[in-house]
Amino acid sequence: MSEDTALQRVKFYQTGTHTVGNRLMDEDKRSVQSSIDRSNAITSGHRACQGCGEALGARFALDAAMRSCDGNMVAVNATGCLEVFTTPYPETSWQIPWVHSLFGNAPAVATGVAAAMRRKGRAQTKVIAQGGDGGTTDIGFGCLSGMFERNDDVLYICYDNQAYMNTGVQRSSATPPTARTATTPAVGEAPGNVFGTGKNLPLIAMAHNIPYVATATVADLHDLETKVTRAMNMSGSRYIHVLVTCPLGWGSATNHTILLARLAVESGLFPLFEAEDGAVVRTQKIRKKVPVEDYLKLQKRFAHLFKKDREDVDRIAAIQKMADANIDRFNLLGERSAP
Amino acid sequence: MTHELPFAITLDPSTSLANKTGSWRTERPVYLDRLPPCNHTCPAGENIQKWLFHAEEGDYEQAFQVIMEDNPMPGVMGRVCYHTCETACNRGQLDEPVAIHAIERFLGRMAFEKGWTPRFTAPDTGKKVLVVGAGPSGLSAAYHLRRLGHDVTIREAGPMAGGMMRFGIPKYRLPRDVLDYEIQRILDTGVQLELNKKVEDIEAAFENEGFDAVFVAVGAHLAKRIDIPAHAAGKILDAVSVLKEMETGGEPPKLGRRVIVYGGGNTAMDVARTAKRLGVDESMIVYRRSRKEMPAHDFEATEAEDEGVLMHWLRTIKEVDGTNVTVEKMQIDENGRPQPTGEFETIEADTLILALGQDVDTSFLEKVEGVEIARDGVVTVNAQMMTGRAGLFAGGDMVPAERTVTVGVGHGKKAARNIDAWLRGKAYEPPLKAELAAFENINPWYYDDAPQSKQEQLDPVRRQTGFEEVLKGLTEDNALYEARRCLSCGNCFECDNCYGICPDNAVVKLGPGNRFEFNYDYCKGCGMCALECPCGAIKMVQEGS
């Protein structure tokens, strides 16, 4: 029974290559979230909504950060959903040293914590600051830009759910065009948020020429954890912008949280890239490109674009144009490298 | 809590673990094992997904042992089975099905190289069972009965075991060393084989020899014939005899220079391809319908064409006059039935081989009281595969079913389980079938793009001149690659997705091999775990149902 041909090689794990873990994968290549020993930085019993993307994004990022520094870190938190659902007095879900001050000053507090650590001779203690898009792109923006300008040794993570969700879904400067919020209702000539250029904080951060800027989503854990780990092993100001789905604010099904984050990437609306010292160094290629409709249709905040017999073709096309511009700008199509 | 809490505070200062957010839930996720479509369609009832699970890890022996629970001949099966599993495979909707047959064949070869044997655990029962016929069904029944602890004797009328696997399937599809090895491995489990011993009297086996049960699986070996007016009779043979002669005759059958094979089934293709290998100049198929309606599997016709077999579709044979064969052109009517057109052609041929199907020789059963033989010659059995005579079971080609090796092997297993139950005075209760794992239950995002590995084919020139095996096997690398293309439909493969993505840490990881469980104290019922489970092993159910 001799039979020998050489045709195919085992390239990777065809069985669930992109899953959180994989019994076929080497232990050290598995994601932090697959580990039975992960920190669970935000433990059970927190009061986030069903299917909260921010609860996921924060745990993914902080667990990876905890692993990369052996737990020697402090996290500073701006006001927002994340702070409210984890720490209603007198409980806490945090299993890490955690400080909350005000809505707008998380970067300044983190800068202070880093300085204090240095002064106490504990410079190896890593400092992370985190906030939502409101606390980052609007209210805390001045503090953040100052922190970048001084190149303070802090990793800032923004969990972007594209509006002020904690106080009842009000528009922020990260709210996408045409999206309905409590303050940009779907009425009148140009329903939803104005079709402006938006405030693209990763690009603004890059303009500060800080050591590291990256974007990530809750849909690709290997990617997110790699970026957090990379940032944790650098010093100076670092910024990671994580897109987190908000079922309540977006009007999406609670089980679509990861799916929507994935579609945001695959449509080109949310490009995944890394920049060092102001220049893009790596991009995550789109695996299977989808039209923006696939992403928009699953969310009630865009429902007015898809009214029966009155589909808003022009605005959908304008959103598609945004996605295509991202694809061009970051060169998102082409061969994807193994994670 | 009796002590006083601060104003507007409902909980003690503490961790949020005191807050059982599971009370928010209206739907709960549950783990389940769904039935993968491959397992569902396998006529031998193999647990394909389970053995692929072990093969993916490179634990080929465990994979082999899992196959052996259902099918004692992976090497044969990986070659001759028409793999309904691959037609059903969910991966086929993504790119191409997993080449299950090629992996099974590889495992068969590994077992041969390493000398693996099946693990038997049942204690001996002392019950004696006679199996009549050493074809796929009889061998399978004998193996499974042995596995269940019974004494088994096979009686075979022919000079060699294997039945249609040997006398109906040419060597270029099933090399005889593979067949011999796998039959011997069955016999080595303690099955007695008596060759050249035709069973004529079933009752005597019960009464005089003390068999507690009998399983008959003598196959369908009688070639169907039709009347073709022949003025000066040319040479007319039947396909079964030609194929059989290839195995038993000292000299290959003499066919002349031009051969017509009449029929459109797999046997017709086999005979036409065999004729080509025997060196005839022209080997032709004449079939009354078109390729679309032929009963042969498409790959068989394609391989035959590659080897130079000529196809005359939509033709019936009207008359034979010496070497002149008159055929009438047919056309397919709106009901899909062939109708004559009144147009005739003449084809020259030295030999006409009829491949029109086979009948069962049931003469030895006619005198057994209670046994019912249907008008078309097949034996009637009940759901337990028992004939009207208590303790007499039948299976394989002689009962109503599709006539393939794998169906025969499946009958053998089913009969063995029912015979075992009957011998113990019980009725066999097949386990309840889980719900089917449909493609809609799969989340294909998590699987990498991976085109199917192709088995290399023997060069057509060498195929026309010898009986060397046409399809090559996979290397270990290729087999591992191919096994890892399995989506593990409906069955958890411990990818940690549910554990990793639960926003409430409500999934508990139990460690390698032990899968996961839900902590319903904290599960809010968002359903993300179910939607993001790559293989569809989680289902959302209404709370309280």
Side-chain angles (χ1 to χ4, degrees):
Chain A
M1 287 194 228
S2 74
E3 40 197 7
D4 274 301
T5 53
L7 295 164
Q8 293 275 16
R9 297 207 174 281
V10 183
K11 289 184 294 191
F12 197 52
Y13 307 94
Q14 289 88 1
T15 307
T17 310
H18 305 278
T19 54
V20 168
N22 193 325
R23 71 183 204 284
L24 303 172
M25 205 184 281
D26 293 337
E27 289 274 358
D28 59 342
K29 287 201 179 104
R30 294 185 200 176
S31 74
V32 177
Q33 285 308 312
S34 74
S35 166
I36 212 162
D37 304 317
R38 70 187 189 196
S39 332
N40 281 333
I42 308 174
T43 195
S44 309
H46 62 71
R47 300 174 182 198
C49 306
Q50 286 177 323
C52 174
E54 190 170 40
L56 278 180
R59 192 186 78 222
F60 292 168
L62 293 183
D63 281 4
M66 286 287 276
R67 182 167 83 170
S68 66
C69 67
D70 279 337
N72 188 3
M73 63 176 235
V74 175
V76 176
N77 214 130
T79 302
C81 278
L82 181 60
E83 171 260 325
V84 167
F85 76 67
T86 55
T87 52
Y89 180 78
E91 324 162 4
T92 176
S93 306
W94 294 100
Q95 307 215 82
I96 55 170
W98 183 87
V99 184
H100 167 240
S101 174
L102 297 174
F103 208 159
N105 69 356
V109 172
T111 297
V113 171
M117 287 295 168
R118 214 168 41 245
R119 186 73 183 82
K120 286 166 74 94
R122 295 183 57 186
Q124 74 276 20
T125 301
K126 298 279 186 179
V127 182
I128 292 181
Q130 48 183 356
D133 51 293
T136 306
T137 69
D138 299 341
I139 302 177
F141 183 66
C143 281
L144 184 67
S145 179
M147 183 191 107
F148 288 162
E149 184 263 320
R150 296 184 303 273
N151 197 25
D152 290 320
D153 192 15
V154 173
L155 164 60
Y156 191 97
I157 303 176
C158 170
Y159 304 109
D160 177 11
N161 57 19
Q162 304 189 327
Y164 290 86
M165 301 308 187
N166 178 43
T167 45
V169 196
Q170 292 86 11
R171 169 194 191 278
S172 82
S173 55
T175 301
T178 77
R180 177 204 60 83
T181 68
T183 47
T184 57
V187 289
E189 274 297 292
N193 199 15
V194 288
F195 211 109
T197 56
K199 205 190 266 188
N200 190 326
L201 206 59
L203 293 181
I204 297 171
M206 274 169 67
H208 290 77
N209 288 330
I210 55 173
Y212 187 75
V213 174
T215 58
T217 74
V218 288
D220 189 340
L221 258 179
H222 294 279
D223 178 67
L224 187 151
E225 290 184 357
T226 304
K227 286 167 176 168
V228 169
T229 306
R230 205 166 271 157
M232 285 295 281
N233 290 321
M234 298 169 112
S235 49
S237 281
R238 291 143 285 152
Y239 179 78
I240 299 181
H241 191 96
V242 186
L243 180 73
V244 296
T245 315
C246 175
L248 182 83
W250 296 12
S252 56
T254 58
N255 61 348
H256 281 172
T257 294
I258 285 180
L259 173 68
L260 281 170
R262 182 184 300 140
L263 291 172
V265 172
E266 295 298 279
S267 62
L269 282 174
F270 191 82
L272 292 178
F273 65 90
E274 289 171 279
E276 287 174 17
D277 304 318
V280 173
V281 291
R282 274 176 294 271
T283 58
Q284 181 73 286
K285 304 292 181 194
I286 288 174
R287 241 173 101 204
K288 291 186 171 71
K289 188 172 180 273
V290 297
V292 292
E293 283 98 322
D294 288 12
Y295 170 69
L296 302 173
K297 267 187 178 165
L298 296 176
Q299 307 173 50
K300 288 206 187 85
R301 63 175 173 160
F302 295 113
H304 52 277
L305 300 180
F306 299 98
K307 275 190 189 151
K308 237 186 191 167
D309 308 326
R310 282 197 290 127
E311 191 168 285
D312 197 337
V313 181
D314 293 346
R315 285 196 185 78
I316 296 168
I319 295 172
Q320 183 66 55
K321 206 172 154 194
M322 281 171 59
D324 292 340
N326 283 335
I327 290 172
D328 280 349
R329 180 175 200 165
F330 295 97
N331 188 24
L332 298 178
L333 296 176
E335 196 66 25
R336 190 183 152 106
S337 56
Chain B
M1 276 181 280
T2 51
H3 61 277
E4 208 162 301
L5 290 168
F7 171 72
I9 296 302
T10 54
L11 298 162
D12 273 331
S14 64
T15 136
S16 63
L17 288 175
N19 191 15
K20 301 282 172 69
T21 49
S23 61
W24 302 11
R25 200 172 55 234
T26 57
E27 277 187 317
R28 68 165 60 203
V30 288
Y31 288 108
L32 75 167
D33 284 312
R34 288 189 166 109
L35 178 63
C38 51
N39 295 8
H40 179 63
T41 56
C42 179
E46 285 188 25
N47 193 340
I48 295 164
Q49 179 275 328
K50 189 176 172 190
W51 60 254
L52 282 172
F53 179 91
H54 296 295
E56 282 162 30
E57 291 176 334
D59 190 351
Y60 303 124
E61 179 169 12
Q62 191 50 40
F64 165 78
Q65 291 294 351
V66 174
I67 296 179
M68 294 302 279
E69 286 171 23
D70 298 299
N71 189 335
M73 295 181 285
V76 171
M77 216 45 59
R79 288 171 166 87
V80 306
C81 178
Y82 293 114
H83 38 74
T84 46
C85 51
E86 295 182 27
T87 310
C89 177
N90 277 333
R91 178 127 205 167
Q93 297 186 49
L94 206 54
D95 42 32
E96 291 167 291
V98 176
I100 296 165
H101 74 281
I103 306 163
E104 186 169 23
R105 171 173 164 172
F106 166 78
L107 293 170
R109 184 176 120 228
M110 287 295 280
F112 162 75
E113 283 172 4
K114 310 271 182 189
W116 293 328
T117 52
R119 287 194 280 264
F120 282 20
T121 49
D124 281 344
T125 61
K127 299 279 188 190
K128 284 174 64 183
V129 184
L130 175 67
V131 173
V132 184
S137 203
L139 286 165
S140 162
Y143 166 84
H144 285 287
L145 286 162
R146 198 55 217 109
R147 207 180 163 89
L148 292 162
H150 306 297
D151 273 349
V152 187
T153 303
I154 307 180
R155 273 184 198 151
E156 165 60 45
M160 285 178 276
M164 277 299 184
M165 295 185 286
R166 189 184 298 279
F167 301 118
I169 298 175
K171 282 178 191 154
Y172 61 82
R173 278 181 57 209
L174 177 57
R176 297 306 184 243
D177 58 345
V178 177
L179 180 62
D180 290 339
Y181 178 76
E182 298 205 328
I183 291 175
Q184 191 55 48
R185 190 171 57 209
I186 294 171
L187 299 179
D188 288 345
T189 63
V191 173
Q192 300 294 317
L193 173 66
E194 298 171 5
L195 293 171
N196 298 310
K197 211 163 169 187
K198 194 167 183 184
V199 174
E200 304 278 7
D201 193 344
I202 296 285
E203 289 300 346
F206 278 108
E207 304 306 324
N208 307 341
E209 296 184 76
F211 285 107
D212 300 294
V214 177
F215 177 62
V216 290
V218 298
H221 293 264
L222 299 180
K224 276 201 176 116
R225 299 199 71 104
I226 46 158
D227 286 328
I228 298 172
H231 299 292
K235 191 172 183 184
I236 300 180
L237 303 173
D238 73 79
V240 195
S241 306
V242 171
L243 290 172
K244 194 163 183 172
E245 214 176 318
M246 293 296 298
E247 289 301 307
T248 53
E251 296 243 326
K254 292 196 171 46
L255 301 173
R257 288 178 47 237
R258 291 163 66 87
V259 172
I260 290 177
V261 177
Y262 192 27
N266 292 316
T267 305
M269 301 296 159
D270 284 343
V271 170
R273 295 172 69 185
T274 297
K276 198 78 196 168
R277 284 168 171 75
L278 289 174
V280 306
D281 290 342
E282 267 180 44
S283 176
M284 294 167 275
I285 297 261
V286 170
Y287 180 56
R288 68 197 160 95
R289 293 185 286 182
S290 73
R291 176 164 180 157
K292 205 170 77 200
E293 294 96 15
M294 70 176 177
H297 288 89
D298 200 57
F299 77 90
E300 283 239 47
T302 306
E303 287 181 8
E305 281 173 338
D306 289 349
E307 289 162 14
V309 172
L310 298 172
M311 304 291 179
H312 295 281
W313 305 115
L314 293 166
R315 302 284 187 280
T316 51
I317 295 181
K318 295 308 280 185
E319 202 173 74
V320 180
D321 190 358
T323 58
N324 280 328
V325 178
T326 308
V327 298
E328 180 171 6
K329 285 191 187 174
M330 308 293 277
Q331 60 191 20
I332 302 292
D333 67 13
E334 61 272 22
N335 301 319
R337 297 188 63 82
Q339 298 297 344
T341 60
E343 289 177 59
F344 295 91
E345 290 174 343
T346 308
I347 308 176
E348 282 275 316
D350 302 305
T351 310
L352 173 62
I353 302 174
L354 305 178
L356 304 162
Q358 290 108 253
D359 286 326
V360 187
D361 180 3
T362 47
S363 54
F364 74 112
L365 286 174
E366 276 156 15
K367 56 193 170 218
V368 181
E369 205 175 316
V371 173
E372 213 180 295
I373 295 160
R375 207 153 48 99
D376 52 359
V378 291
V379 175
T380 309
V381 288
N382 64 12
Q384 284 71 46
M385 306 207 70
M386 192 155 80
T387 64
R389 161 51 164 114
L392 179 63
F393 296 75
D397 286 358
M398 64 186 298
V399 303
E402 203 193 339
R403 288 175 174 174
T404 70
V405 172
T406 320
V407 168
V409 167
H411 280 184
K413 178 174 90 168
K414 189 176 168 193
R417 288 178 175 173
N418 282 299
I419 291 168
D420 175 70
W422 189 80
L423 289 174
R424 295 172 200 269
K426 296 183 214 155
Y428 174 67
E429 293 276 342
L432 282 178
K433 280 199 172 168
E435 63 179 79
L436 201 62
F439 186 68
E440 292 67 46
N441 300 127
I442 306 290
N443 190 332
W445 175 258
Y446 290 101
Y447 301 94
D448 213 13
D449 300 332
Q452 191 187 54
S453 12
K454 294 282 176 244
Q455 286 171 274
E456 218 171 87
Q457 288 202 2
L458 193 65
D459 181 59
V461 177
R462 281 171 72 192
R463 279 158 58 179
Q464 285 172 12
T465 51
F467 283 85
E468 202 177 324
E469 192 170 12
V470 170
L471 272 186
K472 299 280 184 190
L474 300 179
T475 61
E476 182 177 341
D477 267 2
N478 291 351
L480 187 66
Y481 166 94
E482 195 58 29
R484 286 182 174 186
R485 293 183 66 239
C486 172
L487 306 178
S488 194
C489 302
N491 291 267
C492 174
F493 62 95
E494 297 191 12
C495 72
D496 300 317
N497 243 31
C498 53
Y499 174 67
I501 60 147
C502 173
D504 296 287
N505 302 356
V507 176
V508 185
K509 180 169 172 166
L510 301 172
N514 298 319
R515 301 184 175 185
F516 308 86
E517 64 184 28
F518 291 108
N519 182 347
Y520 292 114
D521 278 353
Y522 300 110
C523 166
K524 291 172 185 157
C526 69
M528 230 191 309
C529 53
L531 190 72
E532 298 300 325
C533 175
C535 65
I538 304 174
K539 184 180 177 177
M540 298 302 290
V541 297
Q542 279 300 315
E543 198 55 49
S545 69

